[in-house]
Amino acid sequence: MCGITGYTGVNQAGPILLDGLKRLEYRGYDSAGIAVRGDDGIKMLKATGKVSHLVEKYNETPDFLGVCGIGHTRWATHGIPNDTNAHPHLSADGKFAVVHNGIIENFAEIRSELQKYGIEFKSETDTEVIVQLLAYNYNGNFKLALMKTIARLEGSYAIGVISADHPGTIYAAKLSSPLIIGLGIGENFFASDITALVNNTKNVIDMDDGEVAEITPDGVKFFDHAGREINKDIRHITWDVAAAEKSGYEHFMLKEIMEQPQALKATIEPRVKDAEEIVLEELKNLDMKRFNRIHITACGSAYHAGCVGRGILEALCRVPVEAEVASELRYRDPIMDAKTLVIVISQSGETADTIAAMKECRSKGATLLAIVNVVGSSIAKLADYCLYTWAGPEIAVATTKGYTTQVVLLAMFAVWAAGEMKTISRGAYISLVKDIIRLPERAQRALDLNSRVKTMAERYNSNSSLFFIGRNMDYAVALEGSLKLKEISYIHSEAYAAGELKHGTIALIEPGRLVVALCCYEKLLDKTISNIQQVKARGARVLAVAHEGNRSIFREADDVLTVPVTDPLLVPVIEIIPLQLFAYYVAKLNGCDIDKPKNLAKSVTVE
Ligand code: AGP
């Protein structure tokens, strides 16, 4: 969702801010804007729609000069997407401009209070109260006015503010919304997301809730909620610009699908010793014997990874495991206590529902283990224990390598936990570790299906509605395959437990309807085949995904995609790959905006 960035230094801020905003586009937005502190005060440019419109406006405004500025991509929450509601917002006296991510929950109350003092508001946004209140609180001391202002704010915010009276200085502050400071030489930056900074610096500082940063070209000072100066650690980013760029691929999604063998390696290799031992340094103080149940919670694809994790954990650890979407769990008053381990899964580490569910579980005494990709994110910090997937930046809204690395890390955790709980034999443990180590190579072989999947997409892209069916692990993959197709191609599809079709949904099967049948969970293959026969008898066309060497499936399905054989518990990591490619090529054939599908955002930071 919204993205913010800021720059202060000796170079023109405009191009740097616009570059940062382009890199934040993937988060989802519907308008954008920048403000700089020019020679004669604050100047602003805003545009509804794409950042490219803002770039056009910038190119037509040669006097938009200033070496200190802030920028924003807005995903509308309060007020329609238009130039007035787009950020930055300017105080009525023209002295301050602000960009803001998050939601100010008590904005109505602050606004009516300020209106009583005669302050006029221009926009419908919650954000405008920040800048108006700041101007109202200002008596020459920028920092003090900001501290006083944020003390009144309820909700969530990551903000950047510039002042006409203080050239070269930016203040940034954070509460429950991500904010990172980038350190340069003679120039400094801030952003809601590392991808906006990586072109300029590899040295970053993660801000924590309640903190304020004073950013000038010469350095950055940090203050706690009471205004006392504090020291913060610098983090060095290891990935380079190419990791956040398309590297010759037409879309980030395709690049990220193709990157899966490397991403899986990055998740697996540092955690395996002597090719037979899983070492999870991060969990050395976690006593698994304390827990008598496990809850998994997450949203969207991360929840689908959790559905796979539930199967693996129950199979190996023999404890009851539940998986539930965070938006439901948070309001369900779940039954859990100090003997419950809650595993939360999130690529971005910023999903609002997941964070709220974590807080709910913590209030009940549960221990929180997070599986997260973005280092230093809110979920990583909130958890008692954190395992990073180390998949590298994921830019496309549709997650691909994010999902497969979550699944493999859940599998590694399950094998490790079963070892700790002594519910797995040594032989089974070693055999699973060996299969895990081979996943990157098998993922590569699944990617070799690329051109065949493209042919399948050409054959079936005109279907307006289809089904994904499977049993056990195959069903968990069906959920993710169906979501992938829906979110980027806008084609309706449904994932069904294959055995459940006959209880109603089979009524929708008619001649020509495409059913994607997932057939890699071989323990239940015969059962799935009989479900295939049932839909075929009603005229459906069947595209099956099956293991290499499975001959029987060729007699049953119209088309088959074969993937390398792996342990039944690890099937999803490989089986999802052709489905990711299928969704990608169908969306491409249908002319969809693949990396930025309509109505969606990469990081869902609002409820
Ligand atoms: C997946 O392709 C989605 N865009 C979405 O379902 C996503 O997985 C979900 O919003 C959770 O995000 P997170 O992993 O960053 O928490």
Side-chain angles (χ1 to χ4, degrees):
M1 297 198 162
C2 311
I4 60 174
T5 189
Y7 169 81
T8 178
V10 290
N11 296 308
Q12 282 305 310
I16 297 169
L17 296 171
L18 291 169
D19 179 66
L21 294 186
K22 274 193 211 142
R23 290 172 193 282
L24 291 171
E25 281 189 297
Y26 78 98
R27 294 171 66 98
Y29 70 104
D30 36 42
S31 58
I34 54 176
V36 292
R37 174 24 174 113
D39 282 346
D40 47 356
I42 294 175
K43 297 171 187 226
M44 288 206 302
L45 280 179
K46 299 183 187 188
T48 310
K50 300 280 179 200
V51 172
S52 55
H53 300 156
L54 186 64
V55 173
E56 280 163 27
K57 282 195 177 173
Y58 175 78
N59 291 337
E60 289 158 8
T61 321
D63 61 342
F64 193 84
L65 300 172
V67 293
C68 171
I70 52 180
H72 190 267
T73 49
R74 172 173 186 256
W75 193 85
T77 55
H78 297 70
I80 58 163
N82 62 19
D83 286 10
T84 314
N85 289 331
H87 300 209
H89 289 285
L90 197 63
S91 57
D93 61 7
K95 282 200 174 193
F96 297 96
V98 69
V99 287
H100 164 226
N101 274 4
I103 290 180
I104 304 304
E105 283 163 8
N106 58 340
F107 83 100
E109 174 194 323
I110 301 176
R111 184 164 62 187
S112 59
E113 213 174 291
L114 292 171
Q115 280 167 335
K116 280 187 205 136
Y117 301 126
I119 295 166
E120 278 180 28
F121 282 75
K122 288 203 170 72
S123 75
E124 301 158 84
T125 66
D126 54 332
T127 300
E128 195 181 345
V129 299
I130 303 174
V131 77
Q132 303 291 18
L133 183 62
L134 176 65
Y136 177 78
N137 286 332
Y138 181 65
N139 61 5
N141 187 325
F142 190 178
K143 180 184 154 205
L144 214 63
L146 182 76
M147 301 294 304
K148 210 168 158 189
T149 301
I150 58 176
R152 274 294 309 277
L153 305 180
E154 286 167 21
S156 62
Y157 56 79
I159 54 176
V161 199
I162 54 172
S163 159
D165 286 357
H166 302 265
T169 300
I170 301 174
Y171 276 97
K174 161 189 158 53
L175 186 74
S176 302
S177 203
L179 189 58
I180 296 157
I181 305 297
L183 304 175
I185 297 169
E187 55 184 5
N188 290 301
F189 312 81
F190 77 82
S192 48
D193 185 322
I194 288 177
T195 42
L197 300 178
V198 75
N199 202 21
N200 302 304
T201 179
K202 296 270 187 64
N203 294 318
V204 301
I205 295 177
D206 300 309
M207 286 188 67
D208 288 307
D209 281 351
E211 292 177 353
V212 170
E214 180 190 273
I215 312 165
T216 62
D218 305 324
V220 184
K221 286 183 182 169
F222 294 91
F223 305 96
D224 67 10
H225 67 281
R228 292 173 294 236
E229 194 166 344
I230 50 171
N231 292 321
K232 302 275 295 172
D233 294 334
I234 299 176
R235 178 159 66 91
H236 189 71
I237 306 167
T238 48
W239 44 271
D240 58 14
V241 180
E245 290 179 347
K246 285 187 205 156
S247 318
Y249 286 97
E250 196 179 339
H251 296 99
F252 279 111
M253 183 179 177
L254 186 59
K255 174 185 176 243
E256 288 156 9
I257 291 173
M258 294 299 175
E259 275 173 358
Q260 287 178 107
Q262 295 77 33
L264 288 166
K265 256 190 198 167
T267 311
I268 298 166
E269 281 183 357
R271 297 183 163 114
V272 176
K273 201 174 128 208
D274 302 330
E276 60 173 42
E277 212 66 54
I278 290 179
V279 183
L280 300 178
E281 273 299 320
E282 307 90 325
L283 306 187
K284 58 175 184 266
N285 300 321
L286 181 66
D287 176 12
M288 283 306 295
K289 294 190 199 83
R290 257 175 51 206
F291 305 115
N292 60 12
R293 63 195 299 166
I294 298 176
H295 277 254
I296 301 177
T297 192
C299 303
S301 295
Y303 163 71
H304 296 157
C307 293
V308 176
R310 170 182 54 199
I312 308 177
L313 279 158
E314 272 196 344
L316 300 181
C317 301
R318 306 309 299 153
V319 284
V321 185
E322 280 177 48
E324 189 173 6
V325 289
S327 55
E328 285 294 311
L329 182 79
R330 64 181 290 188
Y331 294 119
R332 203 173 53 78
D333 193 12
I335 299 168
M336 51 178 71
D337 56 27
K339 288 185 180 160
T340 310
L341 175 68
V342 174
I343 303 177
V344 291
I345 309 166
S346 175
Q347 189 288 130
S348 64
E350 302 297 345
T351 304
D353 281 322
T354 309
I355 292 174
M358 286 173 87
K359 291 180 179 161
E360 173 67 14
C361 298
R362 169 158 292 155
S363 74
K364 306 216 170 247
T367 298
L368 304 175
L369 163 64
I371 291 188
V372 174
N373 190 34
V374 177
V375 175
S377 54
S378 306
I379 290 177
K381 285 185 184 154
L382 194 59
D384 300 302
Y385 298 90
C386 179
L387 293 170
Y388 285 115
T389 48
W390 296 325
E394 192 178 63
I395 309 292
V397 165
T399 184
T400 50
K401 63 177 182 173
Y403 167 85
T404 44
T405 52
Q406 285 162 356
V407 171
V408 78
L409 196 45
L410 279 161
M412 294 180 84
F413 170 73
V415 176
W416 172 86
E420 297 288 303
M421 295 162 98
K422 308 221 181 312
T423 52
I424 190 170
S425 71
R426 186 69 191 153
Y429 181 108
I430 293 176
S431 156
L432 270 161
V433 175
K434 296 222 180 289
D435 259 54
I436 287 170
I437 295 169
R438 295 198 59 192
L439 286 172
E441 169 225 317
R442 288 173 177 154
Q444 187 56 60
R445 280 178 38 219
L447 286 170
D448 295 343
L449 285 168
N450 191 21
S451 60
R452 169 116 177 100
V453 179
K454 200 169 164 194
T455 309
M456 291 299 107
E458 281 155 5
R459 189 164 299 166
Y460 292 115
N461 84 84
S462 57
N463 270 259
S464 58
S465 174
L466 59 141
F467 289 94
F468 288 76
I469 61 167
R471 287 168 180 261
N472 198 294
M473 287 297 168
D474 286 334
Y475 173 50
V477 177
L479 293 168
E480 177 59 6
S482 170
L483 177 63
K484 232 40 343 147
L485 185 72
K486 271 187 277 222
E487 68 178 329
I488 60 165
S489 74
Y490 319 142
I491 292 177
H492 171 257
S493 77
E494 235 179 280
Y496 244 79
E500 189 63 14
L501 272 182
K502 58 186 173 295
H503 297 290
T505 309
I506 202 161
L508 296 174
I509 300 294
E510 55 188 35
R513 168 87 66 228
L514 177 63
V515 174
V516 179
L518 302 173
C519 304
C520 291
Y521 191 73
E522 290 185 345
K523 285 185 186 168
L524 295 173
L525 184 58
D526 290 352
K527 305 284 173 198
T528 307
I529 284 186
S530 73
N531 299 127
I532 291 177
Q533 289 164 346
Q534 288 161 2
V535 296
K536 287 282 301 172
R538 284 150 185 89
R541 305 257 292 160
V542 171
L543 167 62
V545 182
H547 274 158
E548 287 166 354
N550 176 347
R551 298 228 177 129
S552 56
I553 198 69
F554 285 86
R555 287 194 297 274
E556 309 295 342
D558 295 278
D559 288 290
V560 181
L561 295 165
T562 55
V563 293
V565 180
T566 190
D567 185 280
L569 296 179
L570 303 174
V571 152
V573 180
I574 305 302
E575 192 177 33
I576 191 62
I577 290 175
L579 303 187
Q580 295 168 341
L581 288 167
F582 184 72
Y584 173 80
Y585 285 116
V586 169
K588 196 172 161 202
L589 287 162
N590 291 346
C592 303
D593 190 351
I594 293 178
D595 285 337
K596 285 169 259 150
K598 66 180 179 197
N599 306 336
L600 296 182
K602 181 67 178 164
S603 178
V604 186
T605 51
V606 295
E607 188 175 356

